[in-house]
Amino acid sequence: MSERTISGVSDSVVTVRPRRIRLVCWVSAGALLLVFSLVATSLSGGTGNGYGTFQRGDQLAMIGLGVFGALGILLFTRPRVVADARGVRVRNVIGSHELPWEVVRGVRFDRGAPWASLELYDDDLLPMVALQAADKERAVEGVRALRRLHQAHLAALAGDSAAR
């Protein structure tokens, strides 16, 4: 989570990324690539009782499969939540959403839930995979920061309507 200052006015920006799953994914992707590379180097000679033989292209294809598998695993490092006074941007494994605070009813992190979610006024729930229960206190701090931004927006709306 970070905070930045623009032209003398403190503009609070909350950025949250999962920590534990990113570490697991990078290690797993490296291990998968290593295993596929080792298998590729062992592909030589005949294919068994048949008439085929392993060629250089077979080895390269095996390494290519390892690269694609590693990239697939690294998709799980993509989740991120960035929020400021205007709204919240949620990027999950597949798909992204940019929402103004006006459509958000609340920030939920239910007991036993794997990740937090945004409760929207149209009764939808938008999961925020970046705020994972596995990250424990870091995820709780992220949810609290999002709730503070949401409450600040609601207070600003109440102040605007009271001024009218």
Side-chain angles (χ1 to χ4, degrees), residues 43-74:
L43 291 178
S44 61
T47 60
N49 294 333
Y51 297 106
T53 59
F54 289 112
Q55 303 292 321
R56 176 72 61 196
D58 298 320
Q59 292 175 328
L60 292 175
M62 190 60 70
I63 292 172
L65 285 174
V67 168
F68 281 125
L71 290 174
I73 290 172
L74 290 179

mmCIF file of all heavy atoms in Angstrom, residues 43-74:
data_model
loop_
_atom_site.group_PDB
_atom_site.id
_atom_site.type_symbol
_atom_site.label_atom_id
_atom_site.label_comp_id
_atom_site.label_asym_id
_atom_site.label_seq_id
_atom_site.Cartn_x
_atom_site.Cartn_y
_atom_site.Cartn_z
ATOM 1 N N LEU A 43 15.163 -36.824 -24.007
ATOM 2 C CA LEU A 43 14.512 -37.365 -25.201
ATOM 3 C C LEU A 43 15.553 -37.568 -26.295
ATOM 4 O O LEU A 43 15.913 -36.644 -27.019
ATOM 5 C CB LEU A 43 13.420 -36.420 -25.712
ATOM 6 C CG LEU A 43 12.172 -36.260 -24.861
ATOM 7 C CD1 LEU A 43 11.222 -35.250 -25.502
ATOM 8 C CD2 LEU A 43 11.462 -37.583 -24.683
ATOM 9 N N SER A 44 16.034 -38.769 -26.409
ATOM 10 C CA SER A 44 16.991 -39.078 -27.472
ATOM 11 C C SER A 44 16.869 -40.557 -27.798
ATOM 12 O O SER A 44 16.427 -41.361 -26.977
ATOM 13 C CB SER A 44 18.413 -38.727 -27.040
ATOM 14 O OG SER A 44 18.767 -39.479 -25.905
ATOM 15 N N GLY A 45 17.265 -40.899 -28.987
ATOM 16 C CA GLY A 45 17.231 -42.306 -29.387
ATOM 17 C C GLY A 45 15.853 -42.743 -29.838
ATOM 18 O O GLY A 45 15.004 -41.942 -30.232
ATOM 19 N N GLY A 46 15.610 -44.045 -29.744
ATOM 20 C CA GLY A 46 14.357 -44.630 -30.211
ATOM 21 C C GLY A 46 13.204 -44.381 -29.251
ATOM 22 O O GLY A 46 13.392 -44.057 -28.082
ATOM 23 N N THR A 47 11.991 -44.557 -29.775
ATOM 24 C CA THR A 47 10.791 -44.330 -28.977
ATOM 25 C C THR A 47 10.324 -45.586 -28.268
ATOM 26 O O THR A 47 9.250 -45.603 -27.696
ATOM 27 C CB THR A 47 9.647 -43.812 -29.872
ATOM 28 O OG1 THR A 47 9.367 -44.790 -30.886
ATOM 29 C CG2 THR A 47 9.998 -42.486 -30.492
ATOM 30 N N GLY A 48 11.071 -46.621 -28.317
ATOM 31 C CA GLY A 48 10.676 -47.879 -27.673
ATOM 32 C C GLY A 48 10.714 -48.992 -28.701
ATOM 33 O O GLY A 48 11.680 -49.148 -29.438
ATOM 34 N N ASN A 49 9.633 -49.769 -28.791
ATOM 35 C CA ASN A 49 9.574 -50.886 -29.729
ATOM 36 C C ASN A 49 9.211 -50.434 -31.132
ATOM 37 O O ASN A 49 9.238 -51.231 -32.057
ATOM 38 C CB ASN A 49 8.555 -51.921 -29.253
ATOM 39 C CG ASN A 49 9.000 -52.571 -27.952
ATOM 40 O OD1 ASN A 49 10.195 -52.639 -27.670
ATOM 41 N ND2 ASN A 49 8.046 -53.038 -27.169
ATOM 42 N N GLY A 50 8.870 -49.167 -31.295
ATOM 43 C CA GLY A 50 8.457 -48.664 -32.603
ATOM 44 C C GLY A 50 9.641 -48.296 -33.467
ATOM 45 O O GLY A 50 10.808 -48.518 -33.127
ATOM 46 N N TYR A 51 9.316 -47.698 -34.616
ATOM 47 C CA TYR A 51 10.351 -47.343 -35.569
ATOM 48 C C TYR A 51 10.757 -45.875 -35.461
ATOM 49 O O TYR A 51 11.649 -45.430 -36.148
ATOM 50 C CB TYR A 51 9.860 -47.615 -36.995
ATOM 51 C CG TYR A 51 9.577 -49.074 -37.225
ATOM 52 C CD1 TYR A 51 8.275 -49.533 -37.297
ATOM 53 C CD2 TYR A 51 10.616 -49.980 -37.350
ATOM 54 C CE1 TYR A 51 8.007 -50.881 -37.502
ATOM 55 C CE2 TYR A 51 10.364 -51.323 -37.548
ATOM 56 C CZ TYR A 51 9.054 -51.764 -37.635
ATOM 57 O OH TYR A 51 8.806 -53.078 -37.817
ATOM 58 N N GLY A 52 10.110 -45.116 -34.615
ATOM 59 C CA GLY A 52 10.392 -43.686 -34.511
ATOM 60 C C GLY A 52 11.590 -43.400 -33.633
ATOM 61 O O GLY A 52 12.017 -44.207 -32.820
ATOM 62 N N THR A 53 12.119 -42.216 -33.818
ATOM 63 C CA THR A 53 13.213 -41.733 -32.977
ATOM 64 C C THR A 53 12.912 -40.295 -32.576
ATOM 65 O O THR A 53 12.231 -39.571 -33.302
ATOM 66 C CB THR A 53 14.574 -41.767 -33.704
ATOM 67 O OG1 THR A 53 14.485 -40.955 -34.866
ATOM 68 C CG2 THR A 53 14.969 -43.177 -34.083
ATOM 69 N N PHE A 54 13.399 -39.919 -31.438
ATOM 70 C CA PHE A 54 13.233 -38.539 -30.982
ATOM 71 C C PHE A 54 14.202 -37.639 -31.738
ATOM 72 O O PHE A 54 15.378 -37.974 -31.906
ATOM 73 C CB PHE A 54 13.476 -38.420 -29.473
ATOM 74 C CG PHE A 54 12.387 -39.040 -28.645
ATOM 75 C CD1 PHE A 54 12.629 -40.173 -27.897
ATOM 76 C CD2 PHE A 54 11.119 -38.463 -28.606
ATOM 77 C CE1 PHE A 54 11.627 -40.743 -27.133
ATOM 78 C CE2 PHE A 54 10.122 -39.031 -27.846
ATOM 79 C CZ PHE A 54 10.374 -40.175 -27.105
ATOM 80 N N GLN A 55 13.708 -36.511 -32.174
ATOM 81 C CA GLN A 55 14.502 -35.550 -32.928
ATOM 82 C C GLN A 55 14.685 -34.274 -32.114
ATOM 83 O O GLN A 55 14.101 -34.105 -31.044
ATOM 84 C CB GLN A 55 13.786 -35.208 -34.254
ATOM 85 C CG GLN A 55 13.496 -36.408 -35.135
ATOM 86 C CD GLN A 55 14.755 -37.028 -35.692
ATOM 87 O OE1 GLN A 55 15.688 -36.315 -36.053
ATOM 88 N NE2 GLN A 55 14.806 -38.361 -35.731
ATOM 89 N N ARG A 56 15.491 -33.352 -32.628
ATOM 90 C CA ARG A 56 15.726 -32.065 -31.978
ATOM 91 C C ARG A 56 14.400 -31.295 -31.831
ATOM 92 O O ARG A 56 14.165 -30.638 -30.826
ATOM 93 C CB ARG A 56 16.723 -31.249 -32.802
ATOM 94 C CG ARG A 56 16.976 -29.856 -32.292
ATOM 95 C CD ARG A 56 17.785 -29.787 -31.038
ATOM 96 N NE ARG A 56 19.095 -30.356 -31.245
ATOM 97 C CZ ARG A 56 19.917 -30.703 -30.265
ATOM 98 N NH1 ARG A 56 19.579 -30.504 -29.025
ATOM 99 N NH2 ARG A 56 21.081 -31.229 -30.518
ATOM 100 N N GLY A 57 13.510 -31.411 -32.803
ATOM 101 C CA GLY A 57 12.210 -30.736 -32.744
ATOM 102 C C GLY A 57 11.358 -31.216 -31.576
ATOM 103 O O GLY A 57 10.616 -30.436 -30.976
ATOM 104 N N ASP A 58 11.462 -32.496 -31.243
ATOM 105 C CA ASP A 58 10.735 -33.038 -30.089
ATOM 106 C C ASP A 58 11.240 -32.421 -28.789
ATOM 107 O O ASP A 58 10.463 -32.100 -27.893
ATOM 108 C CB ASP A 58 10.883 -34.559 -30.031
ATOM 109 C CG ASP A 58 10.304 -35.244 -31.257
ATOM 110 O OD1 ASP A 58 9.230 -34.811 -31.713
ATOM 111 O OD2 ASP A 58 10.943 -36.201 -31.743
ATOM 112 N N GLN A 59 12.544 -32.237 -28.706
ATOM 113 C CA GLN A 59 13.125 -31.619 -27.520
ATOM 114 C C GLN A 59 12.673 -30.157 -27.401
ATOM 115 O O GLN A 59 12.307 -29.693 -26.321
ATOM 116 C CB GLN A 59 14.654 -31.697 -27.577
ATOM 117 C CG GLN A 59 15.177 -33.108 -27.451
ATOM 118 C CD GLN A 59 16.670 -33.185 -27.633
ATOM 119 O OE1 GLN A 59 17.259 -32.408 -28.382
ATOM 120 N NE2 GLN A 59 17.295 -34.142 -26.938
ATOM 121 N N LEU A 60 12.706 -29.437 -28.520
ATOM 122 C CA LEU A 60 12.275 -28.035 -28.499
ATOM 123 C C LEU A 60 10.790 -27.906 -28.172
ATOM 124 O O LEU A 60 10.373 -26.985 -27.468
ATOM 125 C CB LEU A 60 12.590 -27.365 -29.834
ATOM 126 C CG LEU A 60 14.086 -27.184 -30.141
ATOM 127 C CD1 LEU A 60 14.281 -26.619 -31.541
ATOM 128 C CD2 LEU A 60 14.742 -26.318 -29.092
ATOM 129 N N ALA A 61 9.998 -28.857 -28.676
ATOM 130 C CA ALA A 61 8.561 -28.833 -28.367
ATOM 131 C C ALA A 61 8.317 -29.063 -26.880
ATOM 132 O O ALA A 61 7.438 -28.422 -26.279
ATOM 133 C CB ALA A 61 7.833 -29.894 -29.196
ATOM 134 N N MET A 62 9.090 -29.931 -26.277
ATOM 135 C CA MET A 62 8.936 -30.195 -24.840
ATOM 136 C C MET A 62 9.302 -28.942 -24.032
ATOM 137 O O MET A 62 8.609 -28.590 -23.076
ATOM 138 C CB MET A 62 9.810 -31.379 -24.432
ATOM 139 C CG MET A 62 9.540 -31.866 -23.036
ATOM 140 S SD MET A 62 7.846 -32.423 -22.756
ATOM 141 C CE MET A 62 7.794 -33.904 -23.713
ATOM 142 N N ILE A 63 10.375 -28.256 -24.423
ATOM 143 C CA ILE A 63 10.741 -27.010 -23.743
ATOM 144 C C ILE A 63 9.652 -25.963 -23.958
ATOM 145 O O ILE A 63 9.287 -25.231 -23.037
ATOM 146 C CB ILE A 63 12.114 -26.509 -24.234
ATOM 147 C CG1 ILE A 63 13.206 -27.471 -23.773
ATOM 148 C CG2 ILE A 63 12.399 -25.105 -23.721
ATOM 149 C CD1 ILE A 63 14.569 -27.192 -24.359
ATOM 150 N N GLY A 64 9.099 -25.908 -25.172
ATOM 151 C CA GLY A 64 8.002 -24.976 -25.466
ATOM 152 C C GLY A 64 6.787 -25.239 -24.594
ATOM 153 O O GLY A 64 6.147 -24.304 -24.108
ATOM 154 N N LEU A 65 6.458 -26.517 -24.380
ATOM 155 C CA LEU A 65 5.347 -26.852 -23.483
ATOM 156 C C LEU A 65 5.631 -26.380 -22.061
ATOM 157 O O LEU A 65 4.734 -25.895 -21.365
ATOM 158 C CB LEU A 65 5.095 -28.360 -23.489
ATOM 159 C CG LEU A 65 4.404 -28.922 -24.723
ATOM 160 C CD1 LEU A 65 4.359 -30.439 -24.658
ATOM 161 C CD2 LEU A 65 3.005 -28.350 -24.845
ATOM 162 N N GLY A 66 6.878 -26.512 -21.632
ATOM 163 C CA GLY A 66 7.259 -26.025 -20.306
ATOM 164 C C GLY A 66 7.106 -24.516 -20.198
ATOM 165 O O GLY A 66 6.645 -24.002 -19.174
ATOM 166 N N VAL A 67 7.482 -23.788 -21.258
ATOM 167 C CA VAL A 67 7.339 -22.331 -21.260
ATOM 168 C C VAL A 67 5.861 -21.943 -21.179
ATOM 169 O O VAL A 67 5.479 -21.072 -20.394
ATOM 170 C CB VAL A 67 8.015 -21.717 -22.509
ATOM 171 C CG1 VAL A 67 7.633 -20.258 -22.681
ATOM 172 C CG2 VAL A 67 9.522 -21.864 -22.415
ATOM 173 N N PHE A 68 5.018 -22.589 -21.975
ATOM 174 C CA PHE A 68 3.582 -22.278 -21.937
ATOM 175 C C PHE A 68 2.972 -22.622 -20.580
ATOM 176 O O PHE A 68 2.132 -21.893 -20.066
ATOM 177 C CB PHE A 68 2.826 -23.015 -23.052
ATOM 178 C CG PHE A 68 2.965 -22.351 -24.387
ATOM 179 C CD1 PHE A 68 3.436 -23.061 -25.473
ATOM 180 C CD2 PHE A 68 2.631 -21.016 -24.559
ATOM 181 C CE1 PHE A 68 3.583 -22.455 -26.709
ATOM 182 C CE2 PHE A 68 2.767 -20.399 -25.787
ATOM 183 C CZ PHE A 68 3.243 -21.115 -26.871
ATOM 184 N N GLY A 69 3.378 -23.738 -20.006
ATOM 185 C CA GLY A 69 2.883 -24.099 -18.679
ATOM 186 C C GLY A 69 3.305 -23.085 -17.626
ATOM 187 O O GLY A 69 2.516 -22.688 -16.766
ATOM 188 N N ALA A 70 4.564 -22.642 -17.686
ATOM 189 C CA ALA A 70 5.061 -21.640 -16.733
ATOM 190 C C ALA A 70 4.312 -20.325 -16.896
ATOM 191 O O ALA A 70 3.949 -19.675 -15.900
ATOM 192 C CB ALA A 70 6.560 -21.437 -16.917
ATOM 193 N N LEU A 71 4.061 -19.922 -18.135
ATOM 194 C CA LEU A 71 3.297 -18.691 -18.364
ATOM 195 C C LEU A 71 1.868 -18.815 -17.827
ATOM 196 O O LEU A 71 1.315 -17.861 -17.292
ATOM 197 C CB LEU A 71 3.285 -18.337 -19.852
ATOM 198 C CG LEU A 71 4.614 -17.861 -20.424
ATOM 199 C CD1 LEU A 71 4.514 -17.689 -21.933
ATOM 200 C CD2 LEU A 71 5.077 -16.590 -19.753
ATOM 201 N N GLY A 72 1.285 -19.995 -17.974
ATOM 202 C CA GLY A 72 -0.051 -20.233 -17.419
ATOM 203 C C GLY A 72 -0.061 -20.104 -15.902
ATOM 204 O O GLY A 72 -0.987 -19.531 -15.314
ATOM 205 N N ILE A 73 0.963 -20.618 -15.260
ATOM 206 C CA ILE A 73 1.065 -20.491 -13.801
ATOM 207 C C ILE A 73 1.241 -19.032 -13.407
ATOM 208 O O ILE A 73 0.661 -18.550 -12.430
ATOM 209 C CB ILE A 73 2.227 -21.363 -13.268
ATOM 210 C CG1 ILE A 73 1.871 -22.843 -13.386
ATOM 211 C CG2 ILE A 73 2.562 -21.007 -11.827
ATOM 212 C CD1 ILE A 73 3.012 -23.783 -13.066
ATOM 213 N N LEU A 74 2.040 -18.293 -14.178
ATOM 214 C CA LEU A 74 2.318 -16.894 -13.845
ATOM 215 C C LEU A 74 1.093 -15.991 -14.019
ATOM 216 O O LEU A 74 1.094 -14.858 -13.536
ATOM 217 C CB LEU A 74 3.495 -16.375 -14.669
ATOM 218 C CG LEU A 74 4.848 -16.977 -14.291
ATOM 219 C CD1 LEU A 74 5.948 -16.425 -15.183
ATOM 220 C CD2 LEU A 74 5.166 -16.729 -12.826
#
